[in-house]
């Protein structure tokens, strides 16, 4: 595998810029679909390149499908940890509802050990539901599963003997879970889409808030950031950061970025529309979301940087994670997008936010 030099630049700690991936299956230069195995090996190189170009965080979202064959993102993150020294590593997101909170804690506390304290977990319901029947969970229990498992995970984070009982898993009676983290603290976020209840839940447990925005106007989520800060105060919790996760693609010019991204975006969202029953994407809607105030960050480094900066200011956020890639995008275009995001978009955003 190619080795990349690590960028020694020290960043403003107030602003965090990350890259998220769902492990999308990409294509080579001839348009041939890569194997699942090659996709996973490429992910390691992508994480290493992200650190080398100055990115602060690299996240892998959990999926269990043909186009997103990333069911064990923590294993890939461990491989990246072995080849990096600075970048923070975590999920984007972990579907806690269909997982076991004890195993999630164990996997990420292990990653935290291997990475010398760089692990994070973003807990969420997930944007798809294929994991529920796969692991034997009833979607009728969707809300109860999430509430109970987040509750248990919050107890596990205290890293002391846990006594807990609920309806969704076996009870624990004074059990200590290992391995414990070296620092005694694991960084945890709650990923939310359109649910105020999830915002309040994040504040109640003292988790940070990650707002996933995949379409429409980003400004409509500003009330969520305000609600989160008010809820933190009401629960007596210390201040916590707000982050934004949105799709995008960076290329040398706006025109090239749209040309590389749109065909694959159209295919992926048309399939999602067929399965979930919403309207398929149109070029008009796509360009509206690519434009000012929209939820797609597709363009040249300057265009993407200006849009990220505006989003951070509008939402009062201090972190932005770009969900890069779409199934079918060429691997070379993915690597270029990562390089431009780290080496050009990041410095521009930090300058604009200074």
């Amino acid at each position: 595998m190619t080795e990349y030099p690590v960028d020694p630049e020290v960043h403003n700690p107030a602003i965090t810029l990350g890259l998220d991936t769902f492990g999308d299956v990409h294509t080579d230069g001839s348009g041939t679909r890569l194997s699942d195995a090659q996709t996973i090996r490429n992910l390691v190189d992508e994480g290493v390149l992200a650190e080398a170009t100055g990115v602060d965080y690299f996240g892998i979202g959990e999926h269990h499908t043909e186009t997103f064959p990333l069911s064990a993102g923590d294993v890939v993150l461990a491989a990246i940890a072995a080849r990096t020294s600075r970048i923070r590593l975590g999920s984007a997101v972990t579907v806690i509802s269909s997982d076991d909170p004890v195993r999630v804690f164990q996997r990420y506390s292990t990653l935290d050990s291997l990475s010398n304290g760089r692990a994070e977990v973003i807990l969420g319901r997930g944007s798809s539901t294929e994991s529920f029947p796969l692991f034997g969970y009833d979607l009728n229990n969707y809300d109860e599963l999430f509430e109970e498992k987040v509750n248990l995970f919050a107890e596990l984070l205290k890293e002391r003997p846990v006594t807990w009982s609920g309806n969704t898993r076996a009870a624990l009676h004074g059990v200590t879970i290992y391995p414990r983290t070296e620092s005694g603290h694991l960084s945890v976020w709650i990923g939310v889409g359109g649910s105020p209840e999830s915002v309040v839940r994040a504040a109640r447990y003292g988790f940070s808030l990650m707002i996933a925005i995949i379409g429409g106007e980003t400004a409509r989520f500003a009330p969520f950031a305000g609600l989160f800060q008010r809820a933190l105060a009401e629960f007596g919790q210390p201040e916590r950061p707000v982050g934004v996760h949105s799709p995008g693609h960076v290329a040398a010019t706006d025109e090239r970025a749209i040309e590389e991204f749109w065909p694959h975006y159209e295919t992926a969202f048309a399939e999602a529309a067929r399965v979930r029953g919403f309207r398929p994407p149109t070029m008009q809607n796509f360009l509206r979301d690519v434009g000012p105030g929209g939820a797609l960050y597709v363009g040249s480094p300057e265009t993407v940087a200006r849009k990220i900066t505006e989003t951070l200011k509008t939402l009062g956020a201090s972190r932005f994670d770009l969900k890069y890639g779409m199934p079918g995008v060429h691997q070379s275009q993915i690597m270029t997008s990562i390089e431009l995001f780290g080496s050009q978009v990041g410095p521009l955003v930090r300058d604009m936010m200074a």
Side-chain angles (χ1 to χ4, degrees):
M1 293 183 177
T2 305
E3 295 292 339
Y4 301 99
V6 175
D7 187 341
E9 180 184 0
V10 177
H11 300 311
N12 179 354
I15 300 298
T16 300
L17 297 173
L19 288 167
D20 291 340
T21 175
F22 294 163
D24 320 51
V25 172
H26 300 136
T27 59
D28 62 18
S30 67
T32 302
R33 184 188 191 275
L34 300 179
S35 67
D36 294 351
Q38 188 60 53
T39 296
I40 291 169
R41 289 191 291 267
N42 285 348
L43 270 179
V44 178
D45 284 342
E46 291 164 20
V48 173
L49 177 60
E51 173 171 279
T53 57
V55 177
D56 299 312
Y57 177 81
F58 190 80
I60 298 177
E62 174 191 346
H63 284 80
H64 305 265
T65 66
E66 182 179 13
T67 50
F68 304 114
L70 239 295
S71 56
D74 48 293
V75 177
V76 182
L77 292 168
I80 296 171
R83 294 180 53 195
T84 57
S85 61
R86 176 191 58 80
I87 194 167
R88 295 191 65 80
L89 302 165
S91 60
V93 300
T94 293
V95 185
I96 190 71
S97 306
S98 58
D99 210 328
D100 187 299
V102 172
R103 293 297 288 144
V104 173
F105 177 83
Q106 290 175 325
R107 296 197 302 265
Y108 281 90
S109 61
T110 299
L111 175 64
D112 199 62
S113 299
L114 291 170
S115 64
N116 292 309
R118 291 184 281 139
E120 297 186 10
V121 184
I122 302 178
L123 304 176
R125 301 170 186 267
S127 59
S128 55
T129 59
E130 70 272 356
S131 62
F132 288 81
L134 183 64
F135 298 118
Y137 290 102
D138 189 340
L139 282 171
N140 290 322
N141 300 327
Y142 187 80
D143 292 327
E144 182 182 29
L145 284 164
F146 187 65
E147 178 62 45
E148 283 202 357
K149 292 191 176 188
V150 169
N151 178 267
L152 173 55
F153 196 79
E155 291 299 313
L156 298 171
L157 290 173
K158 297 174 184 178
E159 301 196 27
R160 61 193 186 199
V162 174
T163 296
W164 180 94
S165 63
N167 299 319
T168 57
R169 77 171 313 279
L172 298 175
H173 303 284
V175 178
T176 300
I177 305 302
Y178 302 99
R180 291 172 288 195
T181 63
E182 200 163 35
S183 66
H185 172 75
L186 186 63
S187 181
V188 181
W189 300 65
I190 287 280
V192 304
S195 169
E197 292 80 12
S198 291
V199 174
V200 173
R201 182 185 292 108
R204 185 169 78 245
Y205 290 121
F207 298 156
S208 302
L209 181 70
M210 181 64 68
I211 305 174
I213 309 176
I214 62 172
E217 295 291 322
T218 58
R220 76 187 193 278
F221 287 87
F224 278 19
L227 173 63
F228 181 61
Q229 300 303 337
R230 293 193 302 274
L232 284 172
E234 290 180 10
F235 289 122
Q237 297 283 6
E239 291 186 6
R240 299 288 183 188
V242 174
V244 180
H245 157 109
S246 287
H249 181 71
V250 190
T253 66
D254 293 347
E255 294 76 16
R256 179 175 293 181
I258 291 170
E259 178 184 348
E260 291 177 354
F261 193 71
W262 160 248
H264 307 290
Y265 176 91
E266 180 186 27
T267 299
F269 275 79
E271 174 60 17
R274 184 189 67 80
V275 172
R276 302 184 198 178
F278 58 79
R279 292 183 179 179
T282 66
M283 175 61 88
Q284 181 181 8
N285 290 337
F286 171 77
L287 292 177
R288 184 183 301 121
D289 279 354
V290 167
L296 294 178
Y297 296 75
V298 179
S300 68
E302 182 173 357
T303 295
V304 172
R306 290 190 182 280
K307 193 167 182 181
I308 290 173
T309 301
E310 185 63 29
T311 296
L312 293 174
K313 291 179 177 179
T314 299
L315 272 61
S318 60
R319 171 166 163 176
F320 184 92
D321 289 355
L322 182 78
K323 191 280 168 186
Y324 70 90
M326 280 286 161
V329 176
H330 293 175
Q331 183 63 24
S332 62
Q333 294 168 347
I334 290 296
M335 297 299 270
T336 297
S337 185
I338 292 171
E339 195 281 327
L340 290 174
F341 183 83
S343 66
Q344 297 189 35
V345 174
L348 284 169
V349 171
R350 292 185 176 91
D351 287 346
M352 293 175 190
M353 293 293 292

